[in-house]
Amino acid sequence: REGHRHTTAPEIWQQLDGKLDAFTCACGTGGTLAGIALGLHDAAQKAAVKAPHIVLADPEGSGLYGWVKSNDLSVQGSSITEGIGQSRVTANLDGAPIDDAERIADPEALEIIYSLLIDEGLSVGGSSGINVASAIRTARKLGPGHRIVTILCDGGARYQSKLFNPEFLRSKNLPVARWLDK
């Protein structure tokens, strides 16, 4: 987390001239979210401005959403997303200034993943889809004119056998984009 606190967070702060309202991302070990959250809080304190709102993005099947919302690590649902979501609070998350959480279901993440590919030319994986879905929800809550930052942390090529495989998606009762069946 200290790497993100001292490198990624200052880069975000600098590129946005300290004008950001929220940061959101998912957790594997929690280093990215916690480090960036701490770094953004450090920068805001130095600039004597309000710190950005920090939102944990969590897939179904993970307990971290409940931990943030009600200090309860119970799990609800499941996810095909790999590398994020867990049911324990890591040392990286200790003391991180997390304000809120969003639980993202696989169908919502898939919709974002396919939209980013078709509309933006960005091939991303499940973690990025969850991050962007959380950023969109956060933007809707905050309203127009706010700046929300997230991380596109994985590429779609790694997940061809899942995210872009109609048979796999159907086996999990997940939506299949029409263009995947052609």
Side-chain angles (χ1 to χ4, degrees):
R1 86 179 189 177
E2 290 304 302
H4 286 292
R5 183 178 193 167
H6 297 292
T7 61
T8 315
E11 181 179 349
I12 290 168
W13 188 264
Q14 179 186 19
Q15 287 186 9
L16 295 173
D17 293 322
K19 296 178 177 95
L20 70 150
D21 299 290
F23 173 76
T24 182
C25 82
C27 290
T29 65
T32 303
L33 177 68
I36 292 173
L38 289 164
L40 292 176
H41 275 247
D42 293 346
Q45 187 175 26
K46 285 181 189 172
V49 298
K50 182 180 174 189
H53 191 70
I54 305 299
V55 180
L56 185 148
D58 212 30
E60 289 188 338
S62 172
L64 294 179
Y65 170 86
W67 172 68
V68 171
K69 291 293 206 176
S70 60
N71 202 29
D72 174 13
L73 282 167
S74 62
V75 173
Q76 175 183 329
S78 65
S79 177
I80 63 169
T81 304
E82 300 172 28
I84 61 168
Q86 57 185 316
S87 296
R88 65 185 181 90
V89 179
T90 65
N92 279 333
L93 292 171
D94 186 42
I98 301 169
D99 301 303
D100 201 2
E102 293 290 342
R103 179 178 283 149
I104 310 295
D106 286 343
E108 184 178 355
L110 285 166
E111 181 180 327
I112 298 295
I113 291 164
Y114 299 150
S115 175
L116 288 170
L117 181 60
I118 297 302
D119 300 328
E120 306 295 334
L122 296 171
S123 177
V124 301
S127 299
S128 294
I130 286 172
N131 286 350
V132 173
S134 179
I136 290 168
R137 285 187 187 181
T138 301
R140 287 182 178 141
K141 283 181 180 178
L142 294 178
H146 291 90
R147 289 181 171 186
I148 292 85
V149 174
T150 193
I151 303 288
L152 300 182
C153 54
D154 57 350
R158 293 182 52 200
Y159 307 100
Q160 288 181 13
S161 66
K162 288 186 175 183
L163 300 178
F164 303 105
N165 180 337
E167 291 77 27
F168 174 81
L169 294 170
R170 283 188 190 96
S171 76
K172 300 294 184 184
N173 294 318
L174 292 169
V176 176
R178 286 191 310 258
W179 52 267
L180 279 175
D181 275 331
K182 296 185 179 196

